Amino acid sequence: MVVKSEAKLVTLKINDQEVTVPEGTTILQACQAAGIEVPNLCYQPLLRPWGSCRICTVEILGRRGGLVESCAAQVREGMEVRTHSPEVLKSRQFILQMYLIDHALDCPTCDKSGECYLQDNTYLHNVHLNPYRRPKLAKPYTHLSDLIDYKWDRCIMCARCTRVCDEVIGVTAIGVLNRGLEAEIGPAYGTDLREGTCTSCGMCIAVCPVGALTDRRFGMHPWELDASETICGFCDVGCTLNVEHSRGIVRRVTHLWDRGVNHGYTCERGKWGYAQVQHPDRLESAYIRQGDEFVTADLDDALDRVAEAFRRYQGDQFAALASPENTNEENYLLQQFTRAVMGTNNIDRLRHKGQSAVSQALRDSFGRPASTNSMQEAFTDTQCMLVVGPNIGETAPVGSYWLYWSRNYRDAKTVVISHDHFPLCDRAEVWIKPPRGAEAKVIDAMARIILDAGLAHPAKDASAGFDAWREGLAKVDPEQVAAEVGIDIATLRRAAILYATGGVGEVDGRDPADYPASAIYQTLGTDRGADAHPAAVALNNLALLTGNVGRAGGGVIAFRGSANFQGATDMGCEAGYFPGYQPVDDPEIRRKFEAAWLLRWNDAAVPQNGFKPLRELPATPGLDLDGMIAAIEAGKIKAMYIAASSHEYSPGIDERLLAVLPKLEFLVVEDSFPSDLAKLAHVVLPGAMFLEKDGSYTNADRTIQRLRYAVAPPGDAQPSWWFLQEIAKRLGYNMNYRHPSFVLEEIAQLTPIYRGVSLPRLERGPLQWPVQPFGAEPSVFLELGDGLAPEAVRFVAD
Amino acid sequence: MKLTDRAAFEQYVAEAQRRWAERTAGDRWVVSVGISECSIAKGARQTLDHLRLALEQAGIQAEVRQVGCAGWCWAEPYVEVQAPGAPPVIYQKITTDKVPELVDAMKRGDVKADWALGVRADQPFEGVPPLNEHPFLAGQRRVLMADWGIIDPESIEDYIARGGYQAWIKAIFDMTPEEVVNEVKISNVRGRGGAGFPAGIKWESGRRTQAWPKYVIANSHEGEPNVFKDRRMLESNPHLVLEGIMIGCYALETPHGYNYVGGEHKLAIERFRKAVDQAYELGLLGDNVLGSGVSCHIRVRTGGGAYICGEGSALMYSVMGQRGQPRTKPPRSVEEGVWKRPTVLNNTETFANIPGIIRNGGAWYAAMGTEKSTGTKLITMQGPVQRIGVVEIEMGMPMRELIFGLFGGMREGHVFKGVQTGGVSAGPLREEQLDVPVDFDSLTPLGGMLGSGGFVVFDQSVCAVDFARYLQEFNRYESCAKCVPCRLGNPALVEIIERIRLGHARPGDLTLIEETSRPIIDLSLCGLGQVAPMPTLGMIRAFPEDFAAHIDEHRCPAGVCPVDAAAPAATAAGD
């Protein structure tokens, strides 16, 4: 993340080394910037300085000097700091001696041993004699929940856990109880954490510098583990996980602070979701249906069978559905396979109604089915956040953390429109609880209020459809809407004004364009049954109306549930588009792809059962998911390849699809669990899950990130890109990508919005599309004219 | 009745004064009983009930009223009787058993001089000496306490009749906020909570901060042992504090004021809440007060009883409904306090000083006390002295005069040993140090502290080691558990003192106490942690002989510590 700073610079001396940092920096941060290590225990990135451990004490020389806590004390011009003077070291030793009076010192059996801050510092500061020694006080383990244990004798009461729980996670499930030496960490009234607001995100364990809060599923020493940094595959926030594994088994997930879109934080799925990856029910071999039964098959046999069958369905009798949880590379290969090998544009994503609706709404309004802005702007520009849809704390948990953070640390205002009740509702300035499906009405009423208050200022060059839309809005009566959904009109008005004024909350006569930015965070797309289109479109209109599109800190950020839903869409898993939203019916573009793809045909391949190498790509858009369902019903589509990646947190599959699939003559399902879908297949291929593959994901705010192979897939399971290559090879089409990085290279060449992306470049950190060339200022939001075509941006009357 | 403009207020004042004059004209029976928490404990409520009944039975048509505490806790319950044609006489220790006799005497016209504390007159009356000549009162300068025991604390009319809310009216109608702050600066009134930071300067920096809304908070938490001035203040004259907070709000140009009262001060909370309600009813609080365009709203918050919640930033968290723990500075409270907005926090007593300063001018106030510590100070005294209670003295009175004059010296059979100063935040003074003037700066070089003005006299039956352990344990149990030096350092100190107390001291334990105290003082996060080892250090410095007797001779000179006389002679530390 690039932080631009216009703050005054201050020069100080740390251990005689001159350091220049912006004003307002703490001494600790200045030391870190200068590469001087200052020990700290209660300091936690993203949380405000707490100042309880006093081990980060440094000495300031001079008249106004003395010992200060460097985590909170700010730099002053000309200050001279000593980080390791005798006084300082003596103080640190004292602190450590104090800790060690009652600290259990059960390091040999402690999970944290080896990465324990207290252990490290005790060693570092040479504390071995303790004049305060006495028989230790001890208390038994407390089982806070089935996942979290607390051991008082190890606790140093730094309150990192309770602060993170309160200020970032927003649930305040645990707190410091009692005073003095009797203080301990626990939930209110000693209840089980699962009974309260706890979301089991495990962040309390993650931030614990010692072994006081421990993971009940973990029982190893850190030095026995290997670590792989990868991206979480359970939702489209796209968190960076540090997956620690040994002997091919994931043992735990830890946190790389300040890394990735999640800055190291995770939710329950990120922290403990690896259990899905090594679930005993995982598919470990291929299965072939024989009558009503499945028999285990050799992978080669199964693939032969698939290739043989596919030969009979080249053309529009074939269709494929891509998994929105597979990597970009795999999705790219599947659409390439469908188009260049099977000769049809019948490709779509395996999605449900909510996802389709939101994707469509974004495309209708902005010309691109993508979020216009980035979550990271909650740290910098967003002053008001309109949160709409099902509980964001469950659907995009880490995204919700930034809302709490922004609220706590930047005084950003929050407006929630949700049928669900979750902690953010109670902390928001306004919470509107409309009946399910009535969100659109409420949002339109807000738009009407904003219009009436004279706060509308749509961008001049991007306001197509404005007049028509405004006419439609004329019949919306806010008072009536308020009465219908059972809220106070004043509440509705306040929500609208807060949003339109970027959290200022009152119309103070300034030019509407001068109010701070407001962002929309919506999770409508995670509601699998709902028709979210009207509400999603209404939100887009609202953002356009208030000039929040194409603006830092504004825009619409839509979470759609599946980890790579955005990536699958970008990769052309859509009936009408090649990767990067290049229309299939454009001959120019088609020629580009033909040149890239059709040369892979093995000309020696023998045409068989009507199957033959293609000489050109299909020119007409194919069928989307709805079209496919109808076509299967009508018997027009006879064979399908469905990449699915089911797991406990899967967003779910359209019921209508499940109902028609038995009509197919031949269905191949690649899946990781014996799901409902897999049970309908003729051949089931065992798919690898996200921890078992290399590649890239694109998250809800268009951030492309690097996925790394952490553990081997179970049994015969293989990643999708491997299956597709094998099938294609058997059909006479040579893909020959040795690794997903080669696929990504091809994507980067053929797809303008991904131009310049490569796995090596992603190693340096995430990139957001449209990707800027090396060295250029990265842009985190879509600007009008750059990323957003003004002519494609329009008000949509739904 | 809601007053809508200044004229209406003046009219109300005139009416209130007329009624007050009628009451004190001396043509009727007026019987007042002091009701405060200390007198309730001694049965004042019962005395009041019995008096009502007895007077009725005796056929005396008297106005029976309750008033607040008057500072003389040793004389509770007290009754003030104003007979027709006679000056008011104050009787001390009127428990229920004495009520019939008192009423009987009233009926007979007997003044009952032997029970009387004094008479509110300049001349003796029938053998009763003037109250102001009583040694307890003679040395006092009652400014804040002027109306204690005279007005009914639950009556806004009484307060207004005695000149109340004049300062508020003067401030909002005749003065700009800058002028108010200026007067406070001229008065040089220093914070009465203990630190002694000049209130005017704090207000000024609060005004300078550019963020709105701002908040004003009165700290009536008073959580430490040995001090009970603020709660008596709120019990006896809540309107005075309220008026002070209101003027503070005006000076900061904010309508938001809080009073944070310790949860255990039940009566104080009750009476202050009532005062706020009355001020709202009368239109002195609320939006657009008396048509002046000034708005002021005061809310009362109560604590849960943690000592730490008296610390500024912890108090603010408590006001916001969070766990009360201090936080690191910067930002200071005047920049980012409650609800992350500029907040000016002052002690109850500081606010109680404000109306007087506004009414009479800062120079009048600055003329009292010493040059650096202006004004008067409420002092509470406990221990085996003749008279326990609250007094108000001009700053700079010698400690000896305070203890042996106002408070009457030691009770019979008690020999003075020392006086603990500064609550649990400083050390004691020995007899030879008693000539030190009581003000903010003079006590500190001697290891003492004015603090909030709570002193404890102790006699030869108190062991310095035992006392040190008590004070240190208080700090240990009341540590908020945030920062390490205080949370873990205090138990370590208690451990060592306990060892000494039991006769199991190790050589070097006194040095170890010093070495432990140093980092606690240097490294603690908040003011309370930074002074936590002070009482122990003070005890060691003032009474080294007590410690030596425990360590070297396994003997407690005062005979209170359970010393293990057979403990092995101190050898090298256990390990």
Side-chain angles (χ1 to χ4, degrees):
Chain A
M1 197 176 43
V2 178
V3 180
K4 272 191 279 183
S5 165
E6 285 162 14
K8 218 178 97 196
L9 293 178
V10 170
T11 304
L12 69 158
K13 271 187 176 171
I14 305 176
N15 299 346
D16 291 329
Q17 177 183 342
E18 243 178 45
V19 183
T20 305
V21 289
E23 196 175 29
T25 310
T26 63
I27 298 178
L28 183 66
Q29 287 166 336
C31 290
Q32 284 171 345
I36 296 166
E37 197 168 327
V38 174
N40 56 73
L41 290 169
C42 68
Y43 171 79
Q44 168 72 15
L46 284 193
L47 297 185
R48 66 168 70 87
W50 184 241
S52 86
C53 74
R54 322 306 286 178
I55 206 159
C56 68
T57 297
V58 295
E59 189 176 359
I60 297 175
L61 305 182
R63 201 169 54 81
R64 287 166 71 192
L67 298 174
V68 298
E69 70 277 19
S70 62
C71 65
Q74 293 177 355
V75 294
R76 276 198 318 268
E77 182 67 41
M79 190 183 238
E80 282 198 54
V81 178
R82 288 272 186 285
T83 61
H84 287 77
S85 70
E87 273 299 298
V88 167
L89 292 177
K90 237 173 91 186
S91 304
R92 290 188 190 147
Q93 276 173 341
F94 172 78
I95 298 293
L96 291 164
Q97 283 172 345
M98 287 291 124
Y99 278 137
L100 295 177
I101 297 176
D102 278 320
H103 186 81
L105 282 177
D106 55 349
C107 302
T109 58
C110 179
D111 290 351
K112 199 76 179 179
S113 181
E115 53 177 17
C116 170
Y117 286 43
L118 184 61
Q119 198 181 44
D120 293 353
N121 279 305
T122 303
Y123 179 73
L124 200 67
H125 292 92
N126 203 13
V127 178
H128 46 89
L129 280 179
N130 197 344
Y132 307 101
R133 212 158 131 183
R134 59 164 165 73
K136 289 178 190 292
L137 303 177
K139 291 182 188 177
Y141 270 99
T142 327
H143 300 313
L144 297 186
S145 78
D146 59 333
L147 292 170
I148 303 167
D149 256 356
Y150 174 66
K151 191 153 172 60
W152 177 83
D153 350 358
R154 292 178 189 158
C155 183
I156 60 166
M157 217 51 71
C158 63
R160 275 193 193 186
C161 50
T162 64
R163 286 182 286 146
V164 100
C165 193
D166 180 38
E167 293 170 18
V168 177
I169 317 302
V171 297
T172 328
I174 51 172
V176 181
L177 314 175
N178 304 328
R179 291 197 293 274
L181 202 51
E182 286 72 30
E184 58 178 309
I185 304 294
Y189 315 118
T191 48
D192 189 293
L193 277 179
R194 290 279 195 188
E195 289 166 19
T197 50
C198 177
T199 57
S200 294
C201 66
M203 282 309 95
C204 46
I205 298 173
V207 298
C208 185
V210 292
L213 284 159
T214 48
D215 178 348
R216 289 185 74 181
R217 297 210 178 139
F218 178 69
M220 299 199 89
H221 285 306
W223 56 82
E224 298 174 276
L225 304 172
D226 298 320
S228 309
E229 179 185 341
T230 188
I231 304 300
C232 180
F234 290 125
C235 84
D236 54 352
V237 173
C239 296
T240 298
L241 306 178
N242 193 39
V243 178
E244 301 200 18
H245 46 91
S246 77
R247 299 192 282 281
I249 296 171
V250 179
R251 306 293 176 167
R252 66 169 177 182
V253 167
T254 53
H255 310 269
L256 300 167
W257 301 117
D258 282 341
R259 284 276 269 289
V261 298
N262 56 328
H263 301 255
Y265 292 85
T266 65
C267 67
E268 183 188 14
R269 281 178 265 173
K271 182 82 181 162
W272 280 295
Y274 66 82
Q276 285 292 306
V277 176
Q278 46 213 35
H279 199 281
D281 291 348
R282 277 288 297 278
L283 293 176
E284 295 191 5
S285 63
Y287 290 87
I288 295 178
R289 176 191 291 275
Q290 287 188 348
D292 283 342
E293 288 194 3
F294 281 106
V295 292
T296 322
D298 187 73
L299 205 50
D300 269 337
D301 294 346
L303 291 167
D304 285 346
R305 178 78 168 268
V306 172
E308 199 181 307
F310 278 2
R311 278 175 199 280
R312 282 181 274 134
Y313 301 107
Q314 198 178 28
D316 287 339
Q317 355 173 22
F318 178 82
L321 286 172
S323 161
E325 305 199 358
N326 274 348
T327 61
N328 287 332
E329 293 74 12
E330 290 167 335
N331 284 322
Y332 174 84
L333 287 192
L334 182 58
Q335 62 87 29
Q336 184 186 349
F337 177 81
T338 309
R339 291 187 164 119
V341 181
M342 299 308 290
T344 175
N345 279 322
N346 290 343
I347 176 145
D348 205 337
R349 293 138 294 160
L350 189 60
R351 56 189 163 125
H352 59 69
K353 221 166 144 190
Q355 291 174 326
S356 314
V358 170
S359 226
Q360 191 56 44
L362 291 168
R363 171 170 275 146
D364 292 346
S365 297
F366 305 127
R368 286 279 161 81
S371 304
T372 64
N373 283 57
S374 155
M375 286 180 276
Q376 303 304 321
E377 289 160 46
F379 290 96
T380 51
D381 297 289
T382 307
Q383 284 301 345
C384 177
M385 299 158 304
L386 177 61
V387 185
V388 185
N391 183 355
I392 192 172
E394 263 173 32
T395 51
V398 177
S400 81
Y401 298 173
W402 308 151
L403 304 182
Y404 289 106
W405 191 92
S406 205
R407 185 193 157 280
N408 288 334
Y409 288 83
R410 297 183 51 249
D411 275 347
K413 304 289 185 282
T414 328
V415 176
V416 179
I417 302 179
S418 174
H419 184 75
D420 295 341
H421 185 186
F422 48 100
L424 189 63
C425 300
D426 302 325
R427 298 191 177 195
E429 260 64 30
V430 181
W431 171 34
I432 295 173
K433 187 179 178 183
R436 240 176 239 292
E439 289 93 349
K441 225 185 266 177
V442 172
I443 298 158
D444 279 341
M446 283 172 65
R448 176 68 201 272
I449 293 170
I450 292 168
L451 263 175
D452 291 351
L455 292 169
H457 60 107
K460 289 237 156 38
D461 50 352
S463 52
F466 178 58
D467 294 327
W469 171 75
R470 187 167 55 183
E471 267 167 42
L473 210 59
K475 61 178 187 290
V476 174
D477 177 11
E479 306 231 359
Q480 194 190 333
V481 171
E484 268 174 51
V485 300
I487 52 169
D488 188 13
I489 177 72
T491 311
L492 187 64
R493 192 174 299 278
R494 182 157 160 68
I497 299 298
L498 268 172
Y499 176 75
T501 58
V504 173
E506 55 192 48
V507 184
D508 55 10
R510 64 178 107 170
D511 187 319
D514 291 341
Y515 287 108
S518 301
I520 292 171
Y521 284 75
Q522 59 114 316
T523 54
L524 293 162
T526 59
D527 195 346
R528 83 185 254 214
D531 180 14
H533 192 266
V537 159
L539 283 173
N540 299 344
N541 292 335
L542 199 61
L544 287 168
L545 178 68
T546 51
N548 273 313
V549 174
R551 179 177 189 189
V556 178
I557 296 149
F559 296 102
R560 279 148 286 176
S562 307
N564 198 28
F565 192 85
Q566 184 65 50
T569 315
D570 293 347
M571 285 306 112
C573 294
E574 278 193 295
Y577 295 94
F578 285 121
Y581 310 106
Q582 305 177 73
V584 292
D585 43 14
D586 184 332
E588 196 75 18
I589 287 169
R590 214 162 48 239
R591 243 190 315 279
K592 178 169 82 173
F593 283 96
E594 280 166 354
W597 292 347
L598 296 182
L599 288 174
R600 297 182 195 278
W601 276 105
N602 178 1
D603 287 332
V606 188
Q608 207 178 355
N609 294 338
F611 184 85
K612 57 178 192 307
L614 293 184
R615 291 293 166 251
E616 55 188 18
L617 291 175
T620 48
L623 299 170
D624 67 359
L625 184 59
D626 291 334
M628 284 179 200
I629 291 171
I632 299 168
E633 185 79 52
K636 285 184 195 150
I637 289 178
K638 295 183 178 137
M640 274 186 94
Y641 184 96
I642 301 183
S645 354
S646 331
H647 48 75
E648 197 190 329
Y649 314 114
S650 294
I653 297 165
D654 202 318
E655 299 287 334
R656 296 169 303 154
L657 178 68
L658 284 178
V660 297
L661 283 180
K663 300 209 165 176
L664 287 175
E665 287 176 17
F666 190 70
L667 171 64
V668 182
V669 171
E670 168 209 322
D671 207 344
S672 31
F673 279 89
S675 62
D676 292 346
L677 197 58
K679 282 175 189 147
L680 301 173
H682 296 91
V683 174
V684 180
L685 299 174
M689 284 181 77
F690 66 102
L691 293 181
E692 298 155 354
K693 35 182 144 173
D694 271 332
S696 66
Y697 267 177
T698 305
N699 78 354
D701 61 9
R702 313 181 320 281
T703 310
I704 310 162
Q705 303 189 91
R706 170 81 154 95
L707 219 68
R708 290 179 190 79
Y709 176 99
V711 288
D716 285 347
Q718 290 288 352
S720 192
W721 61 272
W722 187 87
F723 289 130
L724 289 168
Q725 294 207 64
E726 287 297 313
I727 297 168
K729 192 162 75 188
R730 283 165 169 75
L731 293 173
Y733 186 82
N734 296 321
M735 284 185 174
N736 287 343
Y737 302 103
R738 278 163 294 156
H739 185 267
S741 60
F742 299 102
V743 184
L744 189 59
E745 227 164 70
E746 186 175 315
I747 295 170
Q749 279 167 15
L750 293 172
T751 315
I753 55 172
Y754 275 62
R755 181 161 292 154
V757 178
S758 64
L759 287 191
R761 195 170 163 195
L762 288 178
E763 289 288 344
R764 297 177 168 217
L767 291 171
Q768 272 180 302
W769 69 255
V771 179
Q772 305 291 326
F774 251 126
E777 186 84 2
S779 164
V780 291
F781 62 96
L782 295 181
E783 289 177 66
L784 288 171
D786 179 18
L788 282 181
E791 63 276 10
V793 173
R794 59 179 56 253
F795 285 85
V796 180
D798 196 79
Chain B
M1 178 181 51
K2 188 146 192 165
L3 306 177
T4 49
D5 56 17
R6 193 174 182 177
F9 176 75
E10 300 299 353
Q11 207 180 335
Y12 183 89
V13 173
E15 178 66 15
Q17 280 171 345
R18 190 184 59 74
R19 291 234 283 258
W20 183 260
E22 263 175 30
R23 174 182 293 148
T24 50
D27 57 352
R28 63 176 90 167
W29 286 99
V30 182
V31 178
S32 315
V33 182
I35 304 285
S36 59
E37 260 175 358
C38 57
S39 66
I40 289 170
K42 283 189 168 178
R45 284 239 160 96
Q46 286 81 351
T47 300
L48 184 65
D49 293 345
H50 282 233
L51 261 174
R52 279 213 174 95
L53 273 173
L55 286 169
E56 198 178 314
Q57 280 168 357
I60 299 177
Q61 294 287 324
E63 180 187 353
V64 182
R65 40 196 301 268
Q66 64 159 359
V67 293
C69 162
W72 41 65
C73 299
W74 45 278
E76 302 284 5
Y78 76 91
V79 175
E80 182 178 325
V81 176
Q82 186 194 330
V89 179
I90 291 155
Y91 299 97
Q92 53 176 324
K93 298 179 187 164
I94 305 300
T95 41
T96 49
D97 54 326
K98 290 183 179 166
V99 168
E101 204 181 327
L102 181 70
V103 174
D104 206 36
M106 283 163 70
K107 212 170 163 187
R108 282 185 280 118
D110 179 0
V111 172
K112 210 108 185 85
D114 49 336
W115 287 2
L117 187 68
V119 59
R120 283 195 204 277
D122 297 334
Q123 300 299 321
F125 174 75
E126 300 197 12
V128 183
L131 189 63
N132 288 337
E133 283 171 23
H134 192 281
F136 183 70
L137 288 141
Q140 294 194 39
R141 171 84 187 257
R142 288 195 162 194
V143 176
L144 306 185
M145 286 173 74
D147 290 334
W148 287 28
I150 293 174
I151 62 165
D152 178 353
E154 297 186 14
S155 158
I156 193 169
E157 192 188 291
D158 279 15
Y159 179 67
I160 289 178
R162 301 274 296 172
Y165 289 112
Q166 293 291 356
W168 169 238
I169 299 301
K170 182 176 174 190
I172 60 173
F173 284 106
D174 304 337
M175 294 171 84
T176 63
E178 290 86 355
E179 283 167 357
V180 171
V181 174
N182 207 32
E183 280 310 318
V184 176
K185 271 176 75 184
I186 291 171
S187 77
N188 196 19
V189 53
R190 291 170 66 174
R192 295 316 201 224
F197 188 80
I201 293 180
K202 195 187 263 185
W203 289 20
E204 195 165 51
S205 47
R207 279 187 61 81
R208 262 205 304 272
T209 314
Q210 299 294 313
W212 284 269
K214 296 178 182 180
Y215 294 90
V216 172
I217 306 184
N219 180 356
S220 309
H221 183 260
E222 204 170 50
E224 66 210 292
N226 337 343
V227 187
F228 48 92
K229 61 175 181 77
D230 290 346
R231 65 193 90 164
R232 295 289 164 273
M233 188 78 219
L234 293 177
E235 284 163 13
S236 306
N237 199 352
H239 285 286
L240 186 64
V241 179
L242 179 59
E243 191 179 353
I245 305 172
M246 286 155 67
I247 295 170
C249 288
Y250 178 69
L252 267 287
E253 294 180 67
T254 171
H256 306 295
Y258 285 100
N259 189 6
Y260 182 83
V261 192
E264 60 270 40
H265 314 325
K266 188 165 163 286
L267 188 66
I269 296 169
E270 203 180 295
R271 287 196 172 154
F272 189 80
R273 284 213 160 117
K274 203 163 208 168
V276 172
D277 290 346
Q278 288 171 344
Y280 269 111
E281 261 170 47
L282 213 54
L284 294 174
L285 270 179
D287 291 326
N288 193 9
V289 176
L290 303 182
S292 64
V294 176
S295 299
C296 186
H297 295 274
I298 307 288
R299 273 164 280 196
V300 184
R301 287 278 192 276
T302 60
Y307 174 54
I308 190 63
C309 289
E311 199 274 347
S313 51
L315 183 149
M316 288 175 203
Y317 281 114
S318 185
V319 166
M320 294 189 280
Q322 298 182 20
R323 180 181 169 88
Q325 285 187 327
R327 66 165 169 74
T328 55
K329 286 123 199 149
R332 294 175 302 142
S333 300
V334 289
E335 290 156 358
E336 228 185 89
V338 77
W339 315 117
K340 286 206 234 159
R341 291 292 180 273
T343 304
V344 165
L345 176 92
N346 278 116
N347 186 260
T348 314
E349 192 186 335
T350 317
F351 279 116
N353 275 310
I354 302 299
I357 292 171
I358 298 303
R359 245 190 343 243
N360 306 323
W364 161 82
Y365 189 87
M368 292 187 287
T370 66
E371 191 194 337
K372 292 243 172 86
S373 308
T374 56
T376 59
K377 179 84 191 80
L378 298 181
I379 303 284
T380 62
M381 187 68 75
Q382 285 175 320
V385 287
Q386 297 279 4
R387 295 185 280 268
I388 289 175
V390 191
V391 299
E392 184 177 1
I393 55 161
E394 267 191 63
M395 291 273 196
M397 175 185 277
M399 183 68 102
R400 192 181 298 279
E401 192 187 329
L402 184 67
I403 297 173
F404 292 95
L406 267 58
F407 291 103
M410 302 304 285
R411 276 181 223 157
E412 198 138 323
H414 296 270
V415 183
F416 182 87
K417 181 170 182 176
V419 55
Q420 167 66 12
T421 62
V424 291
S425 310
L429 299 181
R430 286 179 75 109
E431 168 127 35
E432 53 270 28
Q433 297 171 315
L434 288 187
D435 291 316
V436 62
V438 176
D439 63 25
F440 279 113
D441 310 307
S442 306
L443 289 164
T444 323
L446 302 176
M449 186 179 170
L450 176 60
S452 43
F455 298 120
V456 181
V457 166
F458 52 99
D459 67 355
Q460 297 291 356
S461 70
V462 172
C463 168
V465 179
D466 195 50
F467 198 12
R469 186 199 58 140
Y470 164 78
L471 295 167
Q472 205 60 52
E473 272 200 338
F474 180 86
N475 283 329
R476 173 227 183 282
Y477 284 109
E478 290 297 340
S479 167
C480 76
K482 183 166 175 178
C483 75
V484 175
C486 173
R487 177 173 72 93
L488 298 174
N490 279 316
L493 279 180
V494 171
E495 177 88 17
I496 303 168
I497 301 168
E498 184 68 10
R499 191 149 85 200
I500 296 174
R501 183 170 162 268
L502 296 177
H504 289 274
R506 302 174 191 162
D509 266 359
L510 287 183
T511 329
L512 190 57
I513 289 179
E514 292 277 344
E515 280 174 3
T516 313
S517 303
R518 197 70 256 154
I520 299 179
I521 295 166
D522 287 345
L523 300 176
S524 283
L525 173 64
C526 77
L528 302 190
Q530 287 159 8
V531 295
M534 292 304 184
T536 300
L537 293 179
M539 286 292 169
I540 295 178
R541 194 175 42 240
F543 305 103
E545 64 278 8
D546 277 18
F547 283 82
H550 283 77
I551 295 171
D552 302 332
E553 301 164 29
H554 301 298
R555 181 176 71 80
C556 175
V560 291
C561 299
V563 190
D564 181 359
T571 51
D575 39 11

